[in-house]
Amino acid sequence: MNGSKNMFRNKLVWIGLALVVGVIFIMGLAQLGSSSNPVPKNMPVALVSLDKEVQLPNGQTLAIGKMIEQQLMTAAPSQGTEPPLKWERVNSKDTAMQGLDDKKYYSVLILPESLSADIATLFSPQPKAAAVEVYLNQGMNITGANLVSQVLTKIGEGMNGQLRKQVLEGVKAQGDILNSAQAAALASPITLQTEIVHPVPAHSANGNAPVAFTILAWFGAMIASVLTFQASAKARSTSKLSNAGVAVSQAVIGLLYVLVALGATLLLAKSTLGMTIADSWQFSIYFTFISYCFFLMQSCLLNWLGMNGMPIMILIFFFGSPILALPSQMLPAFTQDWLYSWIPLRFGTEILREVLYFGGSSFSSASAVTLIIIGAVALCLSLLAAVVKPYKDKNKAKETAAAESKLAV
């Protein structure tokens, strides 16, 4: 009985309960807080209206392009909500397509020059099909592209319903006679001709390959930073110059670890899982770059904080990984401003997305420049830590403690 009473009186038991609640709350917030019930908001879509108005036999003017443009641009969302799409008027198809290449738009909607003329044929015995071009930027984010496609499909259904009503009213005014061709055309006055640009290839983790590879880079760098930190701690001495040399050696050995991680990643992805990597050489360059920047960043934390820096590295992963696969427009405002805007995993994912789905990246891109700056600053701070932080000889400390205990006896 006394043993049981002692167990319930033990502070560690009650502290443990508090820790369980705290860990579950933090990890649950990290994994679910930013990604539960995501809603698309203001996802950028380009509209190119080339349509030319036409005169109907009754003298009225038909301008379908202007009508659609006005509806899309002035559509008001429900009270208290933001619209799912943010439309931007673009003057030419080439400019809009360049926007897709630059990851500026999730989709481009093009109203062709003959749109009104084709719709006008619905009033004639020989109707002609009218089509609108839709380009989906799948490589930008497959989840975002699919959601935009669903919204555009609903918009297309709404446009067809409105046109069907107008045409039927016009036909009624002409005598209320429809032939079989007109009836068939009225089922869908406008068809959406969808084409995918920067497609996500098969065997690409459903478009999440950039996220998966970034996570592998983060964890590979974490192992490398911990091991090299432990080795550097044993190699340090009272000489500041020597300690600076140890920090340089730590950075060089870290590069070796990163190259080994690259080889393991390629072996797993291509040989074992059969994932699609179109350009293995370019992928290797940027994966190594991302992993090494992560290594320098993590090593900097350990060099200044010791193993106390590990929880920060783990929390960055737990808070960052759930949001990487989602478009930023689907994240809560707090997550966008205070997490997505700076988390390093995001920059690695964006670079690998360009490599895998957009035909290549560049070290001058915003994400690459950001990682270069982070890596360079981290390396400088690691060198500074090697020189500034006081050296503690653990063996000498143990000998002193042992001597003091003998004197006490």
Side-chain angles (χ1 to χ4, degrees), residues 179-391:
N179 62 28
S180 57
Q182 287 176 303
L186 278 176
S188 182
I190 295 178
T191 58
L192 301 182
Q193 296 181 343
T194 303
E195 181 179 337
I196 294 175
V197 296
H198 304 297
V200 172
H203 308 293
S204 188
N206 294 323
N208 289 320
V211 177
F213 287 132
T214 301
I215 291 174
L216 289 177
W218 183 260
F219 274 103
M222 187 184 298
I223 294 171
S225 62
V226 170
L227 293 177
T228 54
F229 169 72
Q230 296 285 2
S232 66
K234 294 180 180 179
R236 289 190 66 186
S237 66
T238 56
S239 171
K240 293 184 178 182
L241 182 61
S242 176
N243 291 339
V246 170
V248 173
S249 299
Q250 182 183 6
V252 172
I253 295 172
L255 181 58
L256 176 62
Y257 272 94
V258 165
L259 291 173
V260 171
L262 167 66
T265 301
L266 285 174
L267 180 64
L268 172 68
K270 298 204 71 174
S271 302
T272 305
L273 301 179
M275 295 181 70
T276 302
I277 300 177
D279 191 334
S280 297
W281 174 246
Q282 188 178 65
F283 172 83
S284 299
I285 292 174
Y286 285 99
F287 183 87
T288 302
F289 164 70
I290 293 166
S291 299
Y292 193 58
C293 289
F294 287 169
F295 167 79
L296 293 175
M297 187 189 320
Q298 295 168 357
S299 294
C300 178
L301 280 174
L302 296 177
N303 288 334
W304 280 98
L305 303 178
M307 294 306 293
N308 293 328
M310 275 293 292
I312 298 176
M313 292 148 58
I314 295 173
L315 284 175
I316 287 176
F317 163 73
F318 274 108
F319 275 91
S321 58
I323 67 175
L324 296 179
L326 293 174
S328 62
Q329 293 82 8
M330 293 182 65
L331 300 173
F334 178 85
T335 302
Q336 289 187 40
D337 297 335
W338 296 97
L339 188 60
Y340 186 83
S341 59
W342 64 266
I343 197 161
L345 293 165
R346 164 213 163 183
F347 303 113
T349 300
E350 289 180 353
I351 293 171
L352 291 179
R353 195 179 299 280
E354 292 173 356
V355 171
L356 294 174
Y357 305 146
F358 286 81
S361 184
S362 169
F363 285 109
S364 61
S365 68
S367 296
V369 170
T370 301
L371 284 185
I372 289 172
I373 294 173
I374 291 174
V377 171
L379 178 59
C380 293
L381 289 176
S382 290
L383 292 172
L384 183 62
V387 175
V388 172
K389 288 193 69 179
Y391 169 71

Side-chain angles (χ1 to χ4, degrees), residues 122-140:
L122 294 175
F123 296 96
S124 68
Q126 297 179 330
K128 184 179 179 182
V132 169
E133 300 174 37
V134 177
Y135 295 90
L136 288 177
N137 199 357
Q138 197 176 71
M140 186 173 175

